[in-house]
C-alpha cells in the first residue's frame, strides 16, 4: 500500500478519530483546527498540525494543504466555515470530501458543486439496519 498524505480540517470527534485510523494504516496526516487545545491533544495522531482559522485562504495555503493527496473537511456544526473551505478547495486542483451534519448542509454542499459528501451517521444507521435485518434477534 502506498503511503499517502491526508489533510484533515477539524479535529472534533470525527476528524480526530479519522486521523487515528489513517495514521494506524500508515498514512501521514496534516491536521488543522482553530482550537489550540485540540491541536495539542491530538498532536500524536498527526504528522503535522496547525492551529488556524481554515477560512483564512492565505493561512490555509501556507500549511501545504494544497499538496496533500486528499483533504477531509470535518468542521462539524460550523456549516458556514465548511462551505467557505469547500469553495476554496474546489477552486484548486485538490481532491477533497466534506462531512455534512444534516440534510440542509448536504443540499448546500451539493449546490456549490461538492461531489464527495460524507454522512457518517447516516451511513452507520444504514449499515446497522442492514446488519440487523439479516440476523434473527433473540429476546
Amino acid at each position: 500500500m502506498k503511503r499517502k498524505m491526508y489533510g484533515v480540517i477539524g479535529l472534533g470527534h470525527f476528524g480526530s478519530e479519522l486521523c487515528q485510523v489513517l495514521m494506524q494504516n500508515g498514512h501521514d496526516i496534516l491536521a488543522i483546527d482553530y482550537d489550540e487545545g485540540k491541536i495539542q491533544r491530538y498532536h500524536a495522531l498527526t504528522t503535522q498540525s496547525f492551529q488556524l482559522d481554515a477560512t483564512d485562504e492565505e493561512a490555509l495555503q501556507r500549511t501545504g494543504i494544497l499538496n496533500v493527496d486528499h483533504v477531509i473537511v470535518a468542521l462539524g456544526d460550523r456549516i458556514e466555515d465548511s462551505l467557505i473551505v469547500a469553495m476554496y478547495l474546489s477552486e484548486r486542483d485538490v481532491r477533497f470530501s466534506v462531512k455534512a451534519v444534516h440534510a440542509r448542509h448536504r443540499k448546500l454542499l451539493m449546490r456549490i458543486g461538492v461531489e464527495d459528501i460524507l454522512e457518517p451517521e447516516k451511513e452507520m444507521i444504514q449499515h446497522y439496519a442492514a446488519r440487523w435485518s439479516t440476523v434473527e434477534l433473540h429476546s
Side-chain angles (χ1 to χ4, degrees), residues 113-128:
V114 175
E115 294 178 9
D116 192 11
I117 301 171
L118 308 174
E119 296 179 280
E121 291 84 4
K122 184 177 180 179
E123 292 170 19
M124 285 308 301
I125 290 167
Q126 291 171 346
H127 167 80
Y128 283 114

Side-chain angles (χ1 to χ4, degrees), residues 9-119:
I9 302 174
L11 292 176
H13 182 71
F14 179 78
S16 61
E17 290 289 327
L18 184 62
C19 287
Q20 182 175 1
V21 172
L22 289 170
M23 285 286 283
Q24 288 172 347
N25 288 337
H27 300 294
D28 293 312
I29 308 297
L30 185 157
I32 296 169
D33 200 283
Y34 69 95
D35 183 338
E36 180 66 32
K38 288 181 181 178
I39 293 295
Q40 292 176 3
R41 190 171 332 137
Y42 300 118
H43 181 72
L45 302 178
T46 68
T47 310
Q48 300 175 59
S49 54
F50 298 91
Q51 185 272 322
L52 59 90
D53 176 358
T55 64
D56 179 341
E57 292 180 14
E58 290 178 13
L60 195 59
Q61 187 172 356
R62 284 193 302 270
T63 66
I65 197 84
L66 301 178
N67 300 316
V68 303
D69 295 301
H70 194 96
V71 178
I72 299 91
V73 180
L75 292 172
D77 292 335
R78 294 175 37 219
I79 295 168
E80 183 178 338
D81 290 355
S82 75
L83 294 169
I84 291 168
V85 172
M87 285 179 17
Y88 172 72
L89 294 173
S90 69
E91 293 169 352
R92 274 94 187 142
D93 191 23
V94 179
R95 291 187 60 211
F96 70 98
S97 305
V98 182
K99 179 187 175 206
V101 293
H102 49 63
R104 191 173 79 214
H105 187 194
R106 175 181 176 65
K107 187 175 182 177
L108 290 167
L109 290 166
M110 290 172 59
R111 284 221 174 130
I112 65 170
V114 175
E115 294 178 9
D116 192 11
I117 301 171
L118 308 174
E119 296 179 280

